[in-house]
Amino acid sequence: MTALDGLPPLREVIRTHDLIAKKQLGQNFLLDLNLTAKIARCAGDLTGCDVLEVGPGPGGLTRGLLAEGARRVLAVEKDPRCLPALAEIAAHYPGRLEVINGDALEIDVAAHLTPPIKIAANLPYNVGTELLVRWLTPPEWPPFWDSLTLMFQKEVAQRIVAKTGDNHYGRLALLAQWRCDVKIVMHLPPEAFTPAPKVHSAVVHLKALPAPRYPADPKVLNRIVAAGFNQRRKMLRASLKGVAPNIEALLEEAGIAPTERAERVSLEQFCHLARIVAAQ
Ligand code: SAM
């Protein structure tokens, strides 16, 4: 039996290539091609775009991205056992799928891609947050990519989209929302994956803004946010003591009560404070 795209169903691919999931590689596969096409559509119009996919595994999402019209997909996969399955997809879509066998944390992918570039991935949970932080903190902004459409465990997705005062509000929300529009676009129960993980998952779409939402020096902003949230229960006049000796006066100048806690300070206020600190 063949699937709609003319390739074998994913369960058969997994059986043929003996792809028994490895926990240490974060392997929880999506086997429903309707679902992977739906995730691919969350990335928006793919025609005319290069798409970077990290961790294609047996290729469910890869097939969705190609079927939805991506000009090219560059797929970086650490597990060499997946390569024969991915080679079958590459043969089915001539010239449109390049596979690199390696660790996405170590490979410089930008050189392999031509703009406009989108990133879409069902990320391995163990490296997902680290990759996201790297994509959000390049030396120059705008970055090499236009948008990120990424699967995370639900709690991480909530940390990315959290608003001031929410339980999940912190460094990741500020980092992401400073430079992107962010939105949870899909929720997935554990049973959507094989094997089923213990946690629920969600797909987050991040669209890069042409410039950060409010001006601020990234290093100063990062230092303030890190210090504020490292001791999130403390008042800012205490947690930010190491940032500047006269921090109380600077907080007041930024319109932030020195007795306030980081979780109640908005992105706009943090950026304002960063500008005042940088001007010292
Ligand atoms: N995209 C497939 C899907 O949706 O069914 C597989 C997703 S699975 C959650 C994560 C994939 O990332 C696995 O195929 C795993 O081998 C791969 N992987 C894990 N760590 C990686 C890394 N550092 N670099 C590249 N791929 C990695």
Side-chain angles (χ1 to χ4, degrees):
M1 204 178 99
T2 51
L4 270 181
D5 60 5
L7 285 158
L10 284 157
R11 280 190 198 285
E12 195 179 312
V13 173
I14 287 187
R15 227 180 3 253
T16 308
H17 298 287
D18 202 17
L19 296 176
I20 296 159
K22 287 190 181 172
K23 205 173 172 184
Q24 68 272 30
L25 284 170
Q27 291 184 335
N28 301 98
F29 300 132
L30 290 167
L31 302 186
D32 178 349
L33 287 164
N34 290 317
L35 193 56
T36 60
K38 201 168 157 196
I39 296 168
R41 285 197 290 276
C42 291
D45 185 5
L46 298 177
T47 48
C49 292
D50 275 12
V51 181
L52 167 65
E53 185 191 3
V54 173
L61 181 57
T62 321
R63 285 164 63 171
L65 295 166
L66 289 162
E68 290 301 315
R71 173 178 63 197
R72 264 184 80 241
V73 174
L74 173 68
V76 181
E77 174 56 60
K78 193 169 175 182
D79 186 351
R81 296 179 310 151
C82 298
L83 300 183
L86 296 168
E88 284 171 14
I89 304 172
H92 191 74
Y93 289 98
R96 290 178 59 200
L97 173 61
E98 182 185 347
V99 180
I100 299 182
N101 181 208
D103 186 335
L105 292 168
E106 284 168 13
I107 292 170
D108 178 15
V109 287
H112 294 258
L113 295 159
T114 309
I117 298 162
K118 293 185 173 187
I119 300 180
N122 173 11
L123 287 172
Y125 289 141
N126 44 356
V127 293
T129 315
E130 178 160 357
L131 280 170
L132 173 66
V133 170
R134 285 191 195 186
W135 287 327
L136 290 172
T137 53
E140 304 276 333
W141 196 268
F144 72 90
W145 48 268
D146 293 346
S147 70
L148 310 172
T149 306
L150 306 172
M151 178 92 68
F152 288 102
Q153 64 188 83
K154 189 174 145 202
E155 285 67 25
V156 177
Q158 287 170 327
R159 280 167 55 205
I160 296 168
V161 304
K163 297 283 169 231
T164 317
D166 288 356
N167 278 346
H168 292 91
Y169 184 63
R171 289 178 74 178
L172 205 52
L174 287 159
L175 186 61
Q177 295 172 38
W178 184 43
R179 287 169 153 172
C180 297
D181 282 331
V182 303
K183 199 155 96 185
I184 292 183
V185 287
M186 203 190 289
H187 289 274
L188 289 97
E191 314 81 70
F193 302 85
T194 305
K198 290 200 176 73
V199 294
H200 282 252
S201 300
V203 178
V204 185
H205 184 73
L206 301 96
K207 182 158 182 23
L209 296 169
R213 205 173 292 277
Y214 309 104
D217 177 316
K219 284 205 183 83
V220 179
L221 180 61
N222 185 41
R223 195 149 52 93
I224 291 172
V225 170
F229 283 97
N230 269 346
Q231 300 171 298
R232 59 189 293 149
R233 300 274 160 237
K234 279 201 176 172
M235 294 179 190
L236 289 168
R237 67 177 175 211
S239 60
L240 299 187
K241 221 187 241 163
V243 171
N246 56 339
I247 194 66
E248 251 191 90
L250 302 184
L251 282 162
E252 268 164 10
E253 194 183 331
I256 304 167
T259 51
E260 197 56 281
R261 288 166 176 81
E263 60 206 11
R264 300 197 39 86
V265 175
S266 70
L267 170 61
E268 187 172 9
Q269 287 176 306
F270 271 119
C271 291
H272 190 185
L273 180 62
R275 291 197 297 278
I276 290 169
V277 169
Q280 279 283 290

